[in-house]
Amino acid sequence: MSSDSPNITSLELEDRRFPPPDDFAAQANAREELYAEAAADPEAFWTRQTTELLTWETPPTQGVDRSNPPFFTWFADGTLNASVNCLDRHLETRGDRVAFHWEGEPDERVDITYRDLHERVCRLANGLRARGVGKGDRVAIYLGMVPEIVVAMLACARIGAPHTVIFGGFSPDSVRDRVVDCGVTAMITGDGAWRGGKLVALKANVDTALEGAPDVHTCIVVRRTENEVGWVEDRDVWYHDLVADQPAECAPEMVGAEHPLYILYTSGSTGKPKGILHTTGGYLTGVAATHRWVFDLKDDDVYWCAADAGWVTGHSYIVYGPLANGATSVLYEGAPGTPDKDRWWQIVERYAVTILYCAPTAIRTFMKWGVEYPKRHDLSSLRLLGSVGEPINPEAWIWYRDTIGGGTCPVVDTWWQTETGNIMISPLPGVSTLKPGSASRPLPGITADVVDGEGRSVPLGQGGYLVLTEPWPAMLRTLYGDDDRFVETYWSQYEGMYLAGDGCRRDKDGDYWLLGRIDDVMNVSGHRLSTIEIESALVDHPKVAEAAVVGRSDETTGQAIAAFVTLKGDVVGDEALIAELRQHVATKIGGIARPKSIVLTDDLPKTRSGKIMRRLLRDISENRQLGDVTTLANEDVVSDIAGQAEKARSADSG
Ligand code: PRX
């Protein structure tokens, strides 16, 4: 297993326990009985969930189809539309209820009701149809956190056009790769986005990206920042012009349960991002059910998932789950520290937020900023806190519960992945006894195991590889256009089991403690990045000969990107070149991929067969005792690199 894993021993010492408070337990949506009910007959359990939670045009008579593993399907003979489930069916009972309290980063606020959202979605769906976009066509969405990002996703769903949302922080190259891989023909973007007081030039990035994507015939542009933008006649159209004359009603395209709802790209352990494909019926069932249980959603809750809609957390727990459940949510455009470090707490107070869901990296940042910021505001409306994206260390968990949650809110640490579609391992608030740092156990209807290298279940108290042992409704169906890679990546290691790629330990009670990735994937601020993608970006620089990238632990971001680079021929390396290389990666991939440190070295540690020994570089980065170096072809290089890395670390902390 990866040596990036947090220290197992320190987790074993964590013995604080938080049983559910009686008053919370008394009113909780989830009940202990759910586990037994689901275990008795998982297929019947999920079929009951989908019947109760969704509105089907043709209710399914089939549950899971296992005839062609690992290509499982769920509810395949049912038909429905996701936008109808998120909007139309709520109009009669809660049309005037706020779906989103939207807050712009500059001081701007708009409340959008279910009726408003429905109208906006219908107009855009009609606009898309008017531009020739229809069922099965792929539409890319590249926007900041404006209401239109939600509108765009649902408008695509309404006409049966799978969307692929590209995180607004990605560079033109990354946009192009995704657009081309996905065979996108229409895009929805904006002139720009506000983030941390700065303007992100979305349209300019799209223009560059689309130079290499001639199949995109339509680019719809939301006006947000009002900066000058380039314009390609016929291809480009302003969003407000397109929707102005469209009717406020739009007949939804009813689709089969297995019709693709979206494709979302995520990093794997090779350079090429994977297009995770989710379909409609099973996915909606999974996100609606888990959103209800894990967040204990009630009619009067104000729910805030502070992720970006460009990641899966935003897809499942800002858009599809909460809207399917008719929730009232907060949608915030900007950065947590703009204009001041209390922005989030201001928002919690303003809307009396009751449920907050965010990533450990945010929590650790707030810890660093200090308690004075949350203390400025009344946070007493909060009743439940959630965490997602990476292991949460017990200190951050306790700080979150005490400082943000007033010492009373349950904290649900939710483990899942882009691939799983919905939360898989998590406490149920009001039912589970919480342990800081543990994601508790698999949710009802989900079955997991921790196995050794041969796929044998390891005894409680031991660590191994996390696997999922039965199909679940919201599971990915394949990697877009690459069934072989789907089978190879997830299903080829152990017969009949999905390999999650995470290390995990179960304690004596059977609770799961996640230990980080086991492959060449890093988790920086809860975002997945592959080492190879960054290495390729570095090697793409004309002065770079070779590069190796590893993740090293970082107090705030979980992992930080540490790069080791050898330069070509007689190129002389200096601080300016290091800065240039860091920027080069940001330009190629996006700011999130900018290496925190770059060490220039004459050589990289390699085995005799020429394979770079990343394990050693990880040890060096973490300032650990070096592992076995006897298989190295070039032993001397190690002490040289270690010296350089030490210098880089002290510069970093200074
Ligand atoms: O390593 C696990 C980590 O994030 C990975 C999935 O990343 P992504 O697909 O980008 O989705 C992030 C949001 C769902 C996992 O393989 N991870 C996610 N949640 C947790 C976690 N690690 C530990 N604890 C969690 N709660």
Side-chain angles (χ1 to χ4, degrees), residues 160-392:
H163 55 71
T164 185
V165 180
I166 303 171
F167 171 59
F170 276 125
S171 69
D173 282 0
S174 299
V175 174
R176 182 188 306 121
D177 289 349
R178 287 158 175 74
V179 164
V180 170
D181 187 77
C182 203
V184 164
T185 51
M187 270 203 83
I188 304 171
T189 186
D191 49 359
W194 292 121
R195 183 79 197 170
K198 292 198 201 98
L199 189 148
V200 184
L202 295 175
K203 178 63 164 60
N205 288 348
V206 167
D207 287 342
T208 310
L210 294 191
E211 279 167 19
D215 293 343
V216 176
H217 59 69
T218 289
C219 180
I220 301 167
V221 188
V222 175
R223 185 136 75 197
R224 167 71 187 129
T225 45
E226 308 200 0
N227 49 315
E228 286 275 322
V229 292
W231 209 253
V232 175
E233 277 316 315
D234 299 332
R235 186 194 72 187
D236 296 350
V237 55
W238 285 109
Y239 179 103
H240 54 266
D241 289 338
L242 179 70
V243 300
D245 303 326
Q246 297 297 338
E249 291 290 338
C250 170
E253 181 82 44
M254 290 297 167
V255 298
E258 287 296 327
H259 185 70
L261 178 61
Y262 68 81
I263 295 148
L264 184 59
Y265 284 84
T266 185
S267 297
S269 48
T270 71
K272 190 170 173 279
K274 303 182 284 198
I276 307 295
L277 179 89
H278 282 292
T279 58
T280 309
Y283 173 79
L284 272 187
T285 306
V287 296
T290 51
H291 182 255
R292 201 167 277 230
W293 305 327
V294 175
F295 299 109
D296 191 48
L297 187 78
K298 298 291 191 309
D299 245 1
D300 52 359
D301 273 315
V302 178
Y303 162 85
W304 183 16
C305 166
D308 192 285
W311 307 109
V312 75
T313 306
H315 283 56
S316 299
Y317 297 107
I318 294 177
V319 182
Y320 291 109
L323 293 176
N325 287 332
T328 293
S329 297
V330 168
L331 191 66
Y332 170 54
E333 177 182 39
T338 308
D340 201 356
K341 297 189 172 89
D342 66 342
R343 183 66 187 264
W344 274 31
W345 317 123
Q346 207 179 55
I347 293 173
V348 168
E349 181 172 26
R350 175 153 37 245
Y351 302 105
V353 171
T354 56
I355 305 165
L356 176 65
Y357 189 35
C358 69
T361 186
I363 299 163
R364 291 190 296 261
T365 302
F366 297 133
M367 284 172 77
K368 208 160 63 181
W369 285 349
V371 295
E372 61 191 277
Y373 298 102
K375 289 275 177 269
R376 281 185 199 163
H377 298 278
D378 177 4
L379 307 182
S380 61
S381 55
L382 288 169
R383 67 180 193 93
L384 178 61
L385 302 173
S387 164
V388 59
E390 49 182 314
I392 179 164

Side-chain angles (χ1 to χ4, degrees), residues 313 389-391 413-418 502 514 517 523 528:
T313 306
E390 49 182 314
D413 174 8
T414 64
W415 178 90
W416 58 296
Q417 308 179 297
T418 307
D502 281 290
L514 277 307
R517 301 286 308 181
N523 190 324
R528 236 205 268 183

